[in-house]
Amino acid sequence: EACLHLNNVKVTGKIIDIQNEQKLLRGREQAKIIIRLFRPCYLDKNTKFVFRERKIFGHGCITNIID
């Protein structure tokens, strides 16, 4: 489970898919990921976020919202 920090909201979710060739991320790599949130919250496109899972951290920007 990943913990996402969106502005002043902290929500947990699960990484469903990593869209690159290896299906995993390493340091300094970029990929599009799909995350399913465990509780609803208000999101906008282009909102910046930080996610962490155990000792792994990442950051990004919301490009698309799927209902």
Side-chain angles (χ1 to χ4, degrees):
E1 295 179 2
C3 179
L4 279 81
H5 298 273
L6 305 148
N7 294 331
N8 61 346
V9 177
K10 182 174 109 173
V11 63
T12 56
K14 183 174 182 176
I15 297 174
I16 302 296
D17 190 23
I18 300 173
Q19 299 177 349
N20 65 2
E21 293 177 7
Q22 296 87 16
K23 297 290 182 186
L24 59 94
L25 285 174
R26 294 191 177 120
R28 302 182 191 269
E29 289 186 344
Q30 295 181 0
K32 289 187 178 184
I33 61 173
I34 298 174
I35 300 174
R36 174 172 289 146
L37 302 179
F38 291 148
R39 66 180 171 100
C41 62
Y42 181 77
L43 300 174
D44 281 329
K45 285 187 179 180
N46 299 322
T47 300
K48 294 182 181 180
F49 67 91
V50 176
F51 74 92
R52 61 185 170 87
E53 186 172 3
R54 296 185 184 111
K55 294 183 179 181
I56 300 168
F57 292 85
H59 63 90
C61 182
I62 295 175
T63 58
N64 194 6
I65 299 172
I66 303 170
D67 292 331

